[in-house]
Amino acid sequence: MSETHPDLLQLRQSIDNIDAALIHLLAERFKATQSVGELKARIRMPPADPAREERQITRLRDLADESGLDPVFAEKFLNFVIAEVIHHHERIAGETTGTES
């Protein structure tokens, strides 16, 4: 077995640190969206907000482009996150109204 090149080890450590930061940021984001879902359920707002979602997609595509990240990838990622948030909001709304899905 050959030793791993030190530069490769350093790059991998950087990637590991970035991955950890992404997980922590996603956890914080979902804590915030959990609060949004609870508020929406209390004030009887629908779980999804298509206009807000479209604005976010446009904003994040622009940010991705400015950052050198593929906007199509950024949109796919955000769509995945949004779908999960809506699912959480639907569950919260169901718990609030007693019609859990």
Side-chain angles (χ1 to χ4, degrees):
M1 191 186 312
S2 65
E3 278 190 42
T4 304
H5 192 281
D7 290 345
L8 181 57
L9 288 174
Q10 184 178 8
L11 289 167
R12 286 179 173 167
Q13 183 61 53
S14 257
I15 291 168
D16 292 350
N17 290 341
I18 293 165
D19 287 346
L22 286 170
I23 294 301
H24 290 291
L25 287 170
L26 281 171
E28 287 301 311
R29 189 186 195 287
F30 277 98
K31 286 177 191 173
T33 60
Q34 178 82 9
S35 296
V36 168
E38 291 165 0
L39 176 60
K40 282 181 166 184
R42 268 197 323 274
I43 62 176
R44 306 259 190 255
M45 285 184 68
D49 183 346
R52 159 85 174 155
E53 294 154 20
E54 190 57 42
R55 286 191 308 273
Q56 281 296 91
I57 288 168
T58 299
R59 186 177 77 83
L60 292 182
R61 281 183 64 98
D62 290 344
L63 285 171
D65 193 42
E66 292 168 11
S67 300
L69 180 66
D70 179 3
V72 173
F73 169 77
E75 182 173 348
K76 287 178 185 177
F77 177 76
L78 185 60
N79 281 327
F80 174 78
V81 170
I82 289 170
E84 190 65 20
V85 167
I86 291 170
H87 174 71
H88 291 180
H89 289 186
E90 289 169 343
R91 181 183 45 76
I92 293 166
E95 290 170 359
T96 302
T97 63
T99 60
E100 205 170 326
S101 50

